Amino acid sequence: MNDTLAVDAPSALRYARTIADLPSPKGHPFVGNALQLAGRQMHQKFTGWVREYGPMFRLDVLGHPVVIVSDAATVHGLLRDRPEGFRRAGGLKQVMSELNIGGVFIAEGEAWRKQRKLVMSGLNVEVIRHFFPTMAAMTQGLHDRWTTRLAQGQPIDLKRDLKAMALDIIVGLAMGHRIDAVNHDGDPLQKDIDRLFDRLGQRTTAAFPYWRHVKLPADRAAERASAEIETKVVAFIRDTRERMDRERKPSTMLEAMIVAAEDPDSGFTDEELVSNAILSVVGGEDTTANSIGWMVYLLARHPEAAAALRAEVDAVLGDATLPREWEQLKLFTYLDAAHSETQRLRTVAPYIGLTSNADCVVADTFIPKNTAVIVATAGEGFDDTLFPEPAAFRPERWIAEHRPKREEDPARRVFPFGGGSRLCPGRFLALTEIKMVVAMIVRNFDLTLEPGAPEPTELLNFFMAPSAVPVRLAPRALNREASR
Ligand code: HEM
């Protein structure tokens, strides 16, 4: 047993057990469970252990205990107990800041409160609503690209195109710039973000921080990429400052953040503005692209769900190719449900790492100060008493009228966007984008699984990504009239 487990608990706290009493998978001498955790499937290892050891168990990682929690009430309580009781995991913060990704995600205390306000001002409904027509135009561009390629008999690389689309949207919304990565292969910003994510994924799942001792070519490339991203973001900020009309309402996330930062009482520094702008671009791409990729794959595998979704989208859109009115997004009940079901089965941010700020008691267990606690955002999403046949993709579970009365709202049992005061500030943008792009896809294209393609594997590339999106798009069958 190591020192942390043997801590003398203060008598003021009441608890039934200590971390040492928690069940724990058997590890190896000296390194504990560290080697079992390394690799891009780390999150699946956790999920397997949740099934085996229950809603709260312990890992030993190089002599330090790590507590894993998945029951919804405890996860909810932990996420709400921030920033006071818990902070973000120190190891993650270090890895992120080494790659120059910081901003509100790694800030704590007063610095976090201040930056959270800054970021929220840039991602509020008004800013996203203002951007809606541009998002629709970009989605039309994606539709036109696919239609042309199909007419020319050219293949569509869904994974590539969805990432490019997400980048176009986040750079458009956040920076007010149109980069058109969808139509330009090898966009430099996208390449830099890919290099960064490659190392973020590698470093956050490594058993040992090798890069602090020796840098591989990929590490050097990621560090150069990070410097390049910063240069681009600083240039976007400079351009925006020069061009923006301070008399009218901010129309991009960056304008809104610049206005907020110019308030003499705000206390925002230029450095905070830059780091949060970088964070938005980096955080806004893979999250939504991976979510759409998984959703399209699951819909292709479940034609009955795709048909139900298409019926809804047809009814809402009338003759339009894609959503043209903001209000239409509110009518997508089944699309919302299909998104929730996708996040339940393939959540793109599977775990949130925390560290306790003080000795405390969690689920009757004494947790010493500075203990690592990891919460599973899938929560109780695989509990078959709450989600019968949990492996099945069934959007209907999320629609009140399809649920037996006794079942409570399943949304309380899963946490794809986190929770409490650090709940993802980009969720509204993400949902707007997901609805826009998926509605366009099911409205205009038939989806089938790529014949003979293996099932995509889950890769923890910082965010959880599908290894491929093996879905074939075809122009919607000529029975469009008949299907209305
Ligand atoms: C489907 C898409 C997305 C998912 C599943 C997702 C998920 C998450 C999760 C789980 C967290 C941690 C929350 C917590 O600690 O309680 C988070 C935080 C965050 N997300 Fe997202 N996210 C998505 C899209 C976005 C987008 C599009 C942006 C911005 C442009 C964004 C910006 C952020 C930021 C800035 C934080 C840090 C908040 C803080 O620490 O106060 N996210 N997200």
Side-chain angles (χ1 to χ4, degrees):
M1 184 188 289
N2 64 48
D3 291 349
T4 323
L5 293 180
V7 74
D8 280 335
S11 55
L13 294 174
R14 301 213 165 276
Y15 50 89
R17 57 186 178 178
T18 67
I19 296 180
D21 301 321
L22 293 175
S24 179
K26 194 167 163 40
H28 299 283
F30 307 114
V31 293
N33 304 106
L35 297 178
Q36 293 152 284
L37 283 176
R40 302 289 170 115
Q41 266 85 31
M42 178 170 95
H43 63 294
Q44 289 179 316
K45 198 96 196 177
F46 280 163
T47 310
W49 281 330
V50 167
R51 286 198 195 109
E52 201 174 337
Y53 296 99
M56 192 167 185
F57 61 94
R58 187 193 76 240
L59 300 176
D60 292 299
V61 180
L62 306 172
H64 298 283
V66 177
V67 177
I68 316 290
V69 176
S70 61
D71 90 279
T74 313
V75 169
H76 184 69
L78 285 163
L79 294 177
R80 282 178 66 97
D81 191 10
R82 295 179 298 168
E84 289 76 15
F86 287 82
R87 59 187 185 275
R88 282 216 191 281
L92 174 66
K93 287 200 282 201
Q94 194 179 352
V95 168
M96 287 178 73
S97 51
E98 283 168 347
L99 288 168
N100 198 24
I101 306 171
V104 66
F105 194 89
I106 64 167
E108 301 293 341
E110 261 322 296
W112 168 76
R113 260 184 254 278
K114 196 171 65 157
Q115 293 183 51
R116 175 89 190 179
K117 241 166 95 182
L118 181 74
V119 169
M120 291 302 286
S121 66
L123 286 168
N124 68 31
V125 180
E126 226 176 293
V127 173
I128 295 164
R129 189 176 181 150
H130 189 279
F131 185 69
F132 179 78
T134 311
M135 192 189 283
M138 289 175 169
T139 310
Q140 180 72 49
L142 186 63
H143 164 273
D144 296 348
R145 172 187 170 85
W146 288 346
T147 308
T148 309
R149 288 185 77 88
L150 290 173
Q152 295 170 345
Q154 290 180 306
I156 290 176
D157 182 344
L158 262 177
K159 192 171 169 185
R160 179 252 170 228
D161 284 358
L162 292 175
K163 271 176 78 130
M165 179 70 189
L167 185 65
D168 280 347
I169 289 181
I170 190 64
V171 174
L173 173 93
M175 306 291 144
H177 278 256
R178 181 99 199 230
I179 56 170
D180 198 13
V182 161
N183 290 309
H184 294 98
D185 260 330
D187 177 82
L189 184 57
Q190 181 141 45
K191 279 191 167 166
D192 286 336
I193 293 178
D194 284 348
R195 286 192 189 104
L196 208 58
F197 269 116
D198 170 63
R199 282 304 96 178
L200 255 182
Q202 179 69 29
R203 293 180 183 187
T204 45
T205 56
F208 172 76
Y210 72 86
W211 62 95
R212 291 183 195 138
H213 306 276
V214 55
K215 294 232 162 83
L216 304 175
D219 292 292
R220 284 195 291 274
E223 284 166 12
R224 279 194 303 275
S226 151
E228 280 295 318
I229 295 173
E230 178 165 353
T231 306
K232 285 197 181 89
V233 166
V234 168
F236 284 145
I237 295 177
R238 196 182 45 238
D239 277 8
T240 308
R241 274 200 169 123
E242 282 166 15
R243 278 188 297 109
M244 71 187 269
D245 173 359
R246 285 169 178 73
E247 296 306 308
R248 63 165 174 74
K249 282 199 164 166
S251 64
T252 65
M253 180 180 178
L254 192 53
E255 283 187 8
M257 294 207 298
I258 289 173
V259 169
E262 281 174 353
D263 178 344
D265 297 329
S266 72
F268 293 132
T269 61
D270 249 28
E271 211 184 8
E272 285 165 342
L273 189 63
V274 173
S275 62
N276 283 293
I278 296 175
L279 176 69
S280 309
V281 172
V282 173
E285 190 207 22
D286 271 23
T287 44
T288 34
N290 295 351
S291 302
I292 297 174
W294 278 120
M295 193 161 160
V296 168
Y297 169 70
L298 289 167
L299 287 167
R301 236 178 63 180
H302 297 275
E304 69 299 340
L309 178 55
R310 177 176 273 179
E312 174 179 272
V313 170
D314 282 353
V316 172
L317 296 189
D319 285 335
T321 319
L322 49 87
R324 295 283 172 196
E325 290 160 37
W326 175 255
E327 298 301 321
Q328 289 174 325
L329 299 186
K330 293 186 191 146
L331 305 174
F332 288 138
T333 312
Y334 196 89
L335 181 39
D336 245 333
H339 169 256
S340 300
E341 185 69 342
T342 302
Q343 295 290 0
R344 182 183 71 81
L345 288 169
R346 301 283 196 281
T347 185
V348 299
Y351 288 91
I352 300 176
L354 310 173
T355 304
S356 54
N357 287 333
D359 291 348
C360 59
V361 176
V362 174
D364 267 350
T365 312
F366 175 69
I367 306 283
K369 182 176 174 176
N370 293 330
T371 300
V373 178
I374 295 183
V375 304
T377 53
E380 294 169 2
F382 288 90
D383 180 331
D384 59 6
T385 59
L386 297 161
F387 298 92
E389 294 181 63
F393 178 72
R394 245 181 239 157
E396 289 75 11
R397 311 178 194 270
W398 300 87
I399 302 174
E401 54 264 38
H402 288 275
R403 275 201 308 270
K405 276 208 179 79
R406 60 194 161 75
E407 277 184 38
E408 61 165 305
D409 181 1
R412 294 161 181 269
R413 304 303 187 127
V414 292
F415 307 87
F417 291 102
S421 53
R422 295 196 88 141
L423 180 68
C424 172
R427 67 196 181 287
F428 192 65
L429 165 64
L431 280 170
T432 306
E433 190 175 335
I434 290 167
K435 286 182 185 174
M436 170 67 87
V437 174
V438 175
M440 180 277 282
I441 294 176
V442 297
R443 170 80 178 151
N444 301 285
F445 301 96
D446 290 333
L447 309 175
T448 45
L449 289 176
E450 204 61 73
E455 185 168 344
T457 49
E458 299 185 9
L459 294 177
L460 203 57
N461 201 16
F462 191 65
F463 295 114
M464 195 280 283
S467 56
V469 183
V471 174
R472 197 172 274 184
L473 296 189
R476 184 169 176 170
L478 297 174
N479 61 357
R480 176 178 282 200
E481 286 313 312
S483 68
R484 276 196 192 153

